[in-house]
Amino acid sequence: MTETYSLSDLAVALGKSVPYLRNLQVQIKADVPRRPERYPEAYVHFMRRVVALRMFHVPADEIAELFQKEKKILEFLHFDAMSDSPLWYLTAGDGAVRTERHLLLTGQDLGFPVTSGAIQCNLDFRERSPELFDGREMGEDVRKVIDLYLKLLRKIDERVKAERPVLLDALAWIGDGLMPA
């Protein structure tokens, strides 16, 4: 059985306060389990990445946009059909692994490199309510969403790369603490 976390446990695991995490969840439009439900370990990995991006001064609205694009990609590939959980987008994700096949925030392995252009869709076993027009007729396409995702990811990547030297300098500056020995 995987470990689960209360909001307080999540705050401790991430080294942040409960109000900070609540505010961040609201800003990025992250789902919050209802009490007494607890956060799965995958949620900790997800929020760890979100907190890290904020430490690199990536605006919360860009993180929210990236998160929404990841969920849209996963919906196109029918990952949402694999779980009834409100946190379906984290169900099969592995936040501890980062490869070209994994989405940044959710850690979902798409089964193909995100940048490759080749797409392997999952089977959809869930019955969906019919819509007047299908997604393709309305201009939706998984490749289009992946392209938008990659464009935003590259923008965020540039910001992180620019902040990296500042963060490394700050970490070196504190060394063993701020107080003289």
Side-chain angles (χ1 to χ4, degrees), residues 2-181:
T2 61
E3 189 172 354
T4 60
Y5 299 77
S6 67
L7 181 60
S8 297
D9 297 335
L10 181 65
V12 169
L14 298 173
K16 295 294 179 186
S17 68
V18 168
Y20 175 89
L21 290 181
R22 277 285 190 224
N23 185 43
L24 196 52
Q25 288 171 319
V26 168
Q27 288 178 325
I28 66 165
K29 300 174 181 78
D31 296 289
V32 177
R34 292 185 187 167
R35 288 186 181 164
E37 293 179 44
R38 296 171 58 90
Y39 295 92
E41 193 164 347
Y43 198 93
V44 177
H45 293 294
F46 165 71
M47 287 302 293
R48 186 169 283 131
R49 289 178 178 185
V50 170
V51 168
L53 289 174
R54 290 297 296 134
M55 295 301 294
F56 281 109
H57 300 288
V58 175
D61 61 331
E62 287 184 16
I63 298 169
E65 185 180 349
L66 189 71
F67 177 45
Q68 294 309 313
K69 285 183 182 1
E70 285 192 19
K71 288 198 315 188
K72 190 67 172 175
I73 290 166
L74 294 170
E75 286 171 350
F76 270 119
L77 299 176
H78 306 298
F79 278 66
D80 58 329
M82 292 188 235
S83 172
D84 290 329
S85 168
L87 302 175
W88 61 266
Y89 50 86
L90 297 174
T91 305
D94 188 348
V97 177
R98 277 187 49 203
T99 71
E100 60 195 17
R101 295 167 38 133
H102 290 80
L103 295 174
L104 178 67
L105 297 176
T106 62
Q108 291 288 357
D109 182 348
L110 298 182
F112 58 88
V114 179
T115 58
S116 74
I119 296 171
Q120 169 67 46
C121 296
N122 294 318
L123 299 176
D124 185 8
F125 298 106
R126 182 183 300 178
E127 194 171 307
R128 295 180 184 268
S129 36
E131 295 188 24
L132 187 56
F133 300 101
D134 68 22
R136 190 172 294 272
E137 290 173 324
M138 295 175 60
E140 290 183 343
D141 176 57
V142 69
R143 284 185 180 90
K144 188 183 294 184
V145 178
I146 288 174
D147 288 344
L148 292 171
Y149 170 78
L150 289 172
K151 182 179 179 183
L152 179 58
L153 189 59
R154 286 182 186 105
K155 178 181 175 185
I156 291 171
D157 187 51
E158 289 302 314
R159 179 175 278 114
V160 168
K161 286 177 183 173
E163 288 290 331
R164 186 175 186 267
V166 175
L167 187 59
L168 289 173
D169 187 46
L171 289 171
W173 182 69
I174 64 166
D176 292 326
L178 298 177
M179 299 299 294

